[in-house]
Amino acid sequence: MMGTIKEIAERAGVSRGTVDRALNDRGRINPEVAEKIKTIAKEMNYVPKKRRVVKKTPLKLGVVTQLAKSSFMVPIRSGIQAIIGDLKKRNIDCFLEEIDGVDEAAQLQALERLLELGVKGIAIMPVDSVAIREKINQLTEQGIKVITFNSDIVGSKRQCFVGMDNFKSGKTAAGLLGMLTKGEGAILAITGYFGNSVSSLRVAGFVEELKQSFPQLKLTGVQSSFDSSDEVEKILSDTLETYKNLDGVVVFSGGQAGISRVLEKMDGKDRPYVIIYDLTENNIEMLKKDQVDFLIDQDGFTQGYRSLLLLANQLQNDKVFAKDALFTNIIIKTKYNI
């Protein structure tokens, strides 16, 4: 018959707590007393009860992106993958839904899939549409925590936005171009999708700063490239046919390689000043080759990483969102500081 801790304690003349500490080598106890207790336990055929390990159900989080194949997504995706690995150690599972293009229907379907998986929080790069706004509001009313990152959506009940102050970055681009051109000449603005709030806010900030600070700069147009390098190349080539002495170009979204192809065809002629966005490998090469004067980076890694970290801390540690928006830095790069 197996002995119990109570019986061992009575025979050894000590408390049950002392027996527990001795058998589990825990806490301060006289070595001779500990050895006596272990001997008695062995004689009484004592077998410790196995502690029941309760495995907690993992917390589930979801991520929904857009423009998944665009070059600016590379650092954002790196941030997402890094935090997914870190959160796994905290018993948190993350499910990534990557959407090509700016597709309202695809995002709505992705959100439904995440709900079926039982996620408690979602980080989303929302398409700027009524349907997505209403869906986010519906999710928050159901108790799902929602954070927007990279792109935001006005009028939604999301908890927080993580990303660049895109309106201010547009003003920054205007200030840089105004400095380069000394506030005079013809300039071109190229955006991506008009349905993408990131590009729209950058353009709005750019136009406002031009009007306020550089009224002599003539904006030849704001044209959409759909993040296509071929379309960017066509837009710039066509504009140069009309404006032989184009002074400046800003590309607010993807497709910057089209700028490089046009400039290579100019064969040494004076090029317009160029400002682009996002520190990607191809854009770094353009800086090195003197095809770009300034590059504005939005710290995509931090956007991807921090959005999921905030959700995890809110749901697992009950940390509240202290701010409505957490802006990443507006980083200005040249060939000298890359």
Side-chain angles (χ1 to χ4, degrees), residues 40-145:
I40 293 172
K42 187 174 182 181
E43 291 173 352
M44 297 181 71
N45 297 317
Y46 171 74
V47 178
K49 293 180 179 179
K50 291 184 179 180
R51 296 180 182 271
R52 188 177 65 164
V53 178
V54 179
K55 188 175 181 181
K56 292 184 178 179
T57 302
L59 173 66
K60 295 179 181 180
L61 303 178
V63 187
V64 181
T65 68
Q66 58 171 291
L67 297 168
K69 295 179 181 178
S70 296
S71 57
F72 80 91
M73 278 299 301
V74 174
I76 292 176
R77 188 178 294 108
S78 295
I80 292 171
Q81 295 296 346
I83 189 61
I84 285 176
D86 290 346
L87 293 180
K88 192 72 176 176
K89 301 170 187 174
R90 292 171 51 176
N91 199 31
I92 299 175
D93 291 339
C94 301
F95 301 90
L96 177 58
E97 291 276 353
E98 296 195 278
I99 309 299
D100 295 337
V102 181
D103 192 327
E104 172 193 285
Q107 282 204 338
L108 290 172
Q109 292 168 7
L111 289 170
E112 289 299 331
R113 288 193 293 270
L114 291 174
L115 288 176
E116 289 176 4
L117 289 170
V119 300
K120 300 301 181 183
I122 296 173
I124 183 172
M125 296 169 57
V127 173
D128 192 5
S129 75
V130 174
I132 295 296
R133 183 181 300 107
E134 290 177 347
K135 187 63 178 179
I136 289 175
N137 291 345
Q138 178 187 342
L139 292 173
T140 59
E141 289 168 4
Q142 293 173 0
I144 306 295
K145 303 296 183 184

